[in-house]
Amino acid sequence: MSRMVVASDQLPGVIAAYLCLWAGTCLGAPPTSHFHPESSASVSQDSIGHSLPASMSQRIFHGMRSVNVTGKAAACVPEVTREQFVVFIIDLLRGTAEEKSAVILPMIGADNSEQVTGQQVQQFLEDLIGAAIHALRQQNALSGWSLENTRDCACGTRTLATQLLTQLQKLSGNQLSEADIEDWLYRAPIISAFLRVAVTSPFSILQQRDVSSLVPRCHRGRAPGFSSLLDLPAIVYLNSHLPSEMQHKWRLLFSTQVHGESFSQLCGHLLDQGPSLLVLRDSGGYIFGGFAAQNWEVKPQFQGDSRCFLFTVAPVLDLFTYTGYNDHYMYLNHGQQTMPNGLGMGGQHDYFGLWIDSNFGKGHSKAKPWCTTYNSPQLSATEEFSIDSMEVWGLGDLSEELQVKNKKSILDADPEARALLEMTGRTRQSDGLRDKDDDEA
């Protein structure tokens, strides 16, 4: 019991809040009593209010009840002691992967059993992801995103749960032990982030780092009616794989809904905007794209670096990273007689993992059996595809160099004209003649 000798002022705020609740009215238990609900689901749900769905409240209760603080064989009784209550919170929020796995296994569904099935894990993940998104929405913590202006969240929840389960089953198969869960938690920190949100949200003590680690701030600019091709679970998943300095903010740069179907418009809003995320939906309903880790430039050579990746969102969620085979990360060219004109990622000329032709509306994903650069399969419904919709997000903050380059010019009001100039190899001659802004004087 030495682990319980912790002064209240040394506990993080969330654990202190739980201790206060234990001694208070939220769970309806006297300070020194056991938490003994006649109906654990209803009591948990009443105490949590509308912050979490009942299914996740029940799982949290089972996790608490599973904690063994005596070292003896635990009896299956419908009560939670104060010690179990606190150890559960400490292990879940601050514990190692080993300590977390010990309380998560019962939450998944293990009753006096040392293993769970893939189906049980799938349902646990769907409940967990759904509860975290629900909690973030309840507390207005979606950082500018909206369930109304993104794809169906329920479908995205199932898809993300399937992807996370696939990662686990690649390690262990269908029968999963506590050791398997421990390894999984180490490899997929996004699960711990969802758990922190689910456990802390009922008491309005979400920490900003927990929110920002999951959901980037959304800056849509002058596009109030814009609706994203992505769902919130996919946004969270893709954001978790970006470099940390790019995770805090997504800036909408281009959308066919807003800017129309034009390659020069795409380039005009893409150039000099730093790293970006490209998302497409083809006429077959497949959603896919790529992460460009560097600023796009119009030139007949490959560019970028090994942080780039390709991904799919629908019908499956998956991500494909650099193989080391070649350095064909990013390609953007226009107006050349002898080189392909368009935007590409991975593979080689005429056989890109992802290609958008300069004759906007057409593209290909010729990756059979795999893209050499990213080891990705064919991303689109058909090898040659038509673009139904497309959006591009700028990631993080612009560097000082790009901020200077994007200072006001007569051509900044028309990014398409600016892009056409750069495509022809000409620069803006008016830059040096501009009047200084007030903040530059």
Side-chain angles (χ1 to χ4, degrees):
M1 296 288 288
S2 60
R3 66 190 299 176
M4 295 300 300
V5 184
V6 183
S8 61
D9 60 355
Q10 294 176 319
L11 295 172
V14 59
I15 298 176
Y18 267 93
L19 285 171
C20 290
L21 286 168
W22 178 266
T25 59
C26 254
L27 290 177
T32 58
S33 77
H34 288 51
F35 174 32
H36 186 89
E38 294 297 323
S39 172
S40 59
S42 62
V43 172
S44 295
Q45 187 63 22
D46 288 344
S47 66
I48 291 173
H50 299 290
S51 295
L52 286 182
S55 58
M56 198 63 209
S57 303
Q58 179 73 9
R59 289 183 186 277
I60 289 174
F61 172 75
H62 281 307
M64 292 178 182
R65 190 173 60 177
S66 71
V67 174
N68 189 335
V69 295
T70 65
K72 301 177 182 179
C76 184
V77 293
E79 64 182 19
V80 172
T81 67
R82 178 182 180 278
E83 288 77 11
Q84 288 176 309
F85 191 80
V86 177
V87 171
F88 172 84
I89 300 303
I90 292 175
D91 283 353
L92 203 60
L93 299 184
R94 300 187 63 180
T96 63
E98 180 182 3
E99 290 167 335
K100 289 178 182 178
S101 64
V103 294
I104 289 175
L105 199 67
M107 291 175 68
I108 294 174
D111 290 321
N112 299 321
S113 171
E114 295 181 353
Q115 289 190 326
V116 291
T117 66
Q119 184 177 0
Q120 287 176 305
V121 175
Q122 173 81 21
Q123 189 58 58
F124 166 74
L125 287 169
E126 290 183 22
D127 287 348
L128 174 62
I129 297 165
I133 297 294
H134 176 81
L136 291 168
R137 188 186 191 192
Q138 288 292 105
Q139 298 198 30
N140 298 317
L142 289 178
S143 303
W145 299 95
S146 166
L147 296 185
E148 291 73 30
N149 292 326
T150 53
R151 283 183 71 240
D152 177 45
C153 193
C155 178
T157 295
R158 290 191 296 272
T159 307
L160 176 53
T162 300
Q163 166 58 20
L164 294 172
L165 174 61
T166 299
Q167 294 179 27
L168 174 57
Q169 290 180 324
K170 285 179 181 177
L171 299 172
S172 310
N174 192 54
Q175 291 295 322
L176 310 164
S177 66
E178 184 177 321
D180 298 327
I181 301 296
E182 178 185 342
D183 192 21
W184 183 49
L185 292 173
Y186 179 78
R187 295 171 181 265
I190 190 174
I191 299 167
S192 294
F194 280 130
L195 282 164
R196 284 197 302 271
V197 169
V199 170
T200 61
S201 64
F203 308 103
S204 300
I205 44 180
L206 276 176
Q207 297 187 20
Q208 183 57 40
R209 68 177 180 85
D210 294 330
V211 175
S212 60
S213 69
L214 284 175
V215 187
R217 294 199 311 274
C218 173
H219 291 253
R220 287 191 300 247
R222 298 178 182 177
F226 166 76
S227 182
S228 178
L229 297 172
L230 298 171
D231 52 69
L232 277 168
I235 291 166
V236 169
Y237 178 74
L238 293 172
N239 196 57
S240 71
H241 288 84
L242 298 176
S244 58
E245 68 273 15
M246 303 178 195
Q247 292 180 350
H248 65 286
K249 182 196 299 183
W250 288 20
R251 300 170 283 112
L252 182 65
L253 301 179
F254 172 82
S255 167
T256 51
Q257 298 175 36
V258 178
H259 304 105
E261 299 180 357
S262 163
F263 189 75
S264 56
Q265 278 282 357
L266 167 64
C267 294
H269 289 85
L270 185 64
L271 296 174
D272 297 333
Q273 293 298 321
S276 56
L277 195 79
L278 289 72
V279 188
L280 299 91
R281 180 174 61 206
D282 67 15
S283 57
Y286 280 43
I287 300 175
F288 50 94
F291 162 56
Q294 291 189 7
N295 188 50
W296 287 96
E297 298 180 58
V298 178
K299 59 183 182 181
Q301 295 90 32
F302 284 96
Q303 51 194 293
D305 63 43
S306 60
R307 297 175 297 171
C308 298
F309 58 74
L310 295 178
F311 60 86
T312 61
V313 172
V316 297
L317 181 64
D318 210 345
L319 190 141
F320 312 98
T321 55
Y322 173 58
T323 63
Y325 184 84
N326 58 37
D327 60 358
H328 297 175
Y329 313 111
M330 302 159 50
Y331 176 89
L332 179 61
N333 197 36
H334 189 71
Q336 292 280 320
Q337 294 284 335
T338 58
M339 301 293 288
N341 294 312
L343 182 153
M345 295 188 71
Q348 56 185 314
H349 295 314
D350 299 324
Y351 292 91
F352 282 91
L354 171 59
W355 174 255
I356 301 168
D357 198 84
S358 60
N359 180 14
F360 193 85
K362 298 180 179 180
H364 73 242
S365 179
K366 297 181 180 179
K368 293 181 179 178
W370 308 104
C371 168
T372 54
T373 312
Y374 299 111
N375 203 34
S376 56
Q378 178 181 300
L379 306 176
S380 47
T382 57
E383 193 173 78
E384 302 273 355
F385 63 84
S386 297
I387 297 174
D388 174 73
S389 187
M390 180 178 179
E391 65 195 49
V392 180
W393 296 91
L395 304 171
D397 298 309
L398 278 177
S399 66
E400 291 185 8
E401 178 185 357
L402 290 178
Q403 289 182 44
V404 171
K405 199 170 183 179
N406 281 285
K407 286 292 185 179
K408 291 180 181 178
S409 158
I410 191 171
L411 290 173
D412 287 330
D414 187 353
E416 185 173 12
R418 173 184 167 188
L420 287 171
L421 273 180
E422 298 200 16
M423 288 175 184
T424 58
R426 300 167 61 189
T427 58
R428 294 175 289 171
Q429 301 301 318
S430 61
D431 280 358
L433 303 177
R434 289 187 296 109
D435 292 332
K436 289 184 177 180
D437 294 333
D438 291 339
D439 59 358
E440 293 181 300

